[in-house]
Amino acid sequence: MFGAMDGLVSNFALIAGMDGGTSSGSKFIVLAGLAGLAAGAFSMAAGEYTSVASQRELARAEIEVERREIQRHPTDEERELSETYQGKGFDPELADKVARQFHADPDQALEEHVREELGLDPNDLPSPVTAAASSFICFALGALIPVLPYLLGAGSVLPALIMSLTALFICGAVVSRVTTRSWWYSGLRQLILGGAAAALTYFVGTLVGPGIG
């Protein structure tokens, strides 16, 4: 949802700026909208891939450090795991027994240490490809909304304006499901912020466009 809102706001503002600086309904607006969609979606995908891949590599490096510690200092690591359980309220005797049971199998011991100490599941690390694909799709869907009326033959910015503002309100209202804000407050806030971004970019377009033309 946040990726879609990002695409919606950025492309809506881009199209508004182009409309302010060129003739309404111009083919340049459509070109700018499609270019903004493609550039933004690919940029989001590349950034998300790099971010998640880096997090995954960092997690693997930390897991390998933990693996070496277990191999070199098994007794100390077993005691550390027992102390972790005791900190959670286990009786010392039970904590020792559970830690000993895990350390009977080095792979299980590693998984348990990683979960308890690093807060990671070594078998369920995030996929950079999945993250990149989802970011690409979400951004592209959001960015398509303001340019869609032009692709369907609209000759003015009004249909794009109506669709974009409506979509902004809906996206904001949906986000309220995971917050403490009411749906109308969240929707109205997103509408105002997105509309303000587009209005300011339109104003920049009216200032710069005539000089370029």
Side-chain angles (χ1 to χ4, degrees), residues 85-107:
Y85 293 142
Q86 292 177 46
K88 291 184 174 184
F90 281 54
D91 291 333
E93 183 178 348
L94 178 59
D96 289 342
K97 183 177 180 180
V98 174
R100 190 179 312 114
Q101 183 67 34
F102 273 116
H103 273 260
D105 183 334
D107 291 333

Side-chain angles (χ1 to χ4, degrees), residues 78-145:
E78 182 179 324
R79 183 170 57 253
E80 181 180 343
L81 186 58
S82 175
E83 291 172 352
T84 299
Y85 293 142
Q86 292 177 46
K88 291 184 174 184
F90 281 54
D91 291 333
E93 183 178 348
L94 178 59
D96 289 342
K97 183 177 180 180
V98 174
R100 190 179 312 114
Q101 183 67 34
F102 273 116
H103 273 260
D105 183 334
D107 291 333
Q108 286 190 348
L110 176 63
E111 288 187 19
E112 190 65 10
H113 277 276
V114 169
R115 288 192 178 94
E116 293 293 339
E117 297 175 25
L118 304 179
L120 299 172
D121 183 347
N123 299 315
D124 189 28
L125 296 178
S127 168
V129 174
T130 300
S134 63
S135 293
F136 180 92
I137 293 171
C138 290
F139 185 97
L141 288 176
L144 179 63
I145 293 174

Side-chain angles (χ1 to χ4, degrees), residues 156-188:
S156 73
V157 74
L158 184 60
L161 175 66
I162 294 173
M163 283 189 63
S164 298
L165 292 178
T166 301
L168 284 168
F169 183 85
I170 292 174
C171 288
V174 171
V175 169
S176 70
R177 294 176 61 87
V178 295
T179 69
T180 58
R181 292 291 188 180
S182 62
W183 63 270
W184 62 266
Y185 177 91
S186 184
L188 189 60

